[in-house]
Amino acid sequence: MSIPLLNISKLNKTFQTNKGPVHALHQIDLNIKEGELITVIGPSGCGKSTLLKIIAGLDLQYDGEVALDGEPISRPGIDKGFIFQEPRLFPWLTVEKNIAADLSLKNPEVRRKVDELIELVRLTGFEKSYPRELSGGMAQRVAIARALLRKPKVLLLDEPFGALDAFTRAHMQEVLLDIWQKNRTTMIFVTHDIDEAVFLANRIVILKPRPGSIRSVVTVDLPFPRKKSSISFQEIRFKVMNEFEQIEELELIDSSGI
């Protein structure tokens, strides 16, 4: 049996607030293999973003174990790329310079890799463009390319397409899959969109709220490219939807005190 790239064991996270402690994550156990594309989905407040921040090393105040490639995560680093909902580009830098960031394009190896990534994320011809000249989807592709240049062991994406219109979002899903299939970078992708989760994932981690915990993990054993209108796709979509309906029923029961 191969050792997982990411191991999360008995993870618990509690926030201290003025109204008292809030138990955000409870007993999260999850192993992710190298090269997997995992989507994480669940109702608002179930701890999806909190989980990503802990994996990224941005939040170290938790109980349990979180290890990447056998090493406990103790700080942020280039081995853990993070893509936010907003692209967060430097407005005074061009596309190619945003991707290179603190690395010099005068270095032939950096130049070669930047050029390869520009082609991979389908931005050829926009190398000299500034962020203000890009669409939202194009800007996110720059952010993804910048993260990939550092060759992260895992790429964490926190609802990166949430602010995009439906057409651009569908296009970005195709682009991301193309990047993943060519690069095989391990990815953990948070989303609220069930169709997006099924379209992208090898496995879907479904979280339930109060406290955030894993309700189920659904394997998506469908070949790529996937058609959202296919019967097999809709069967898995229905399975995930059914899990959501059961979560909502439990929420109603809890709130009514039954």
Side-chain angles (χ1 to χ4, degrees):
M1 181 181 293
S2 60
I3 299 174
L5 176 69
L6 180 69
N7 175 258
I8 302 172
S9 178
K10 296 180 173 58
L11 172 62
N12 290 276
K13 170 66 183 180
T14 300
F15 289 103
Q16 298 298 331
T17 72
N18 293 333
K19 296 181 180 179
V22 175
H23 197 178
L25 294 173
H26 176 71
Q27 293 294 98
I28 301 292
D29 290 306
L30 183 64
N31 288 331
I32 296 175
K33 296 181 292 185
E34 185 174 5
E36 276 196 286
L37 202 170
I38 301 294
T39 53
V40 181
I41 192 167
S44 296
C46 67
K48 300 185 295 296
S49 294
T50 299
L51 178 61
L52 275 200
K53 288 176 182 176
I54 289 173
I55 296 170
L58 297 171
D59 186 342
L60 302 175
Q61 303 300 313
Y62 61 84
D63 295 316
E65 297 179 6
V66 185
L68 181 63
D69 208 9
E71 295 293 327
I73 294 173
S74 59
R75 62 184 185 276
I78 60 174
D79 57 341
K80 302 174 289 290
F82 203 111
I83 307 297
F84 297 88
Q85 185 167 338
E86 312 84 24
R88 302 195 178 186
L89 303 181
F90 301 112
W92 59 88
L93 295 181
T94 61
V95 164
E96 60 184 8
K97 289 182 178 179
N98 259 291
I99 294 172
D102 58 331
L103 303 176
S104 175
L105 286 169
K106 294 180 181 179
N107 181 317
E109 184 63 12
V110 173
R111 174 84 264 176
R112 182 184 64 81
K113 290 179 179 177
V114 168
D115 288 344
E116 287 179 355
L117 285 166
I118 286 173
E119 182 177 357
L120 180 64
V121 300
R122 306 181 189 180
L123 285 173
T124 301
F126 292 90
E127 296 89 339
K128 308 296 184 184
S129 299
Y130 288 89
R132 65 179 180 274
E133 300 171 314
L134 305 176
S135 67
M138 293 167 75
Q140 276 295 38
R141 281 182 266 162
V142 176
I144 291 170
R146 182 171 58 194
L148 291 176
L149 180 63
R150 277 78 190 165
K151 294 186 176 178
K153 293 179 180 178
V154 60
L155 184 61
L156 309 165
L157 303 105
D158 193 3
E159 297 192 66
F161 308 151
L164 305 178
D165 63 81
F167 179 82
T168 305
R169 186 169 189 154
H171 175 66
M172 285 299 297
Q173 291 165 6
E174 298 275 5
V175 171
L176 186 72
L177 273 180
D178 187 44
I179 293 168
W180 174 74
Q181 289 176 310
K182 290 176 179 175
N183 242 36
R184 287 295 169 178
T185 300
T186 306
M187 297 186 185
I188 304 174
F189 187 106
V190 163
T191 180
H192 273 98
D193 190 308
I194 293 176
D195 281 6
E196 186 168 68
V198 178
F199 187 74
L200 294 174
N202 301 130
R203 290 188 293 155
I204 303 170
V205 178
I206 302 173
L207 298 182
K208 60 181 181 179
R210 287 185 288 277
S213 56
I214 295 178
R215 170 162 178 96
S216 61
V217 179
V218 177
T219 298
V220 186
D221 190 17
L222 299 176
F224 294 102
R226 294 170 179 171
K227 291 185 178 181
K228 294 178 182 179
S229 59
S230 71
I231 294 174
S232 54
F233 186 99
Q234 290 300 319
E235 285 175 347
I236 295 176
R237 183 184 186 279
F238 177 79
K239 185 176 183 179
V240 176
M241 183 70 76
N242 186 54
E243 292 283 350
F244 265 74
E245 290 174 353
Q246 291 183 45
I247 291 171
E248 289 175 355
E249 288 174 5
L250 290 172
E251 289 287 290
L252 287 172
I253 291 172
D254 288 343
S255 63
S256 64
I258 296 175

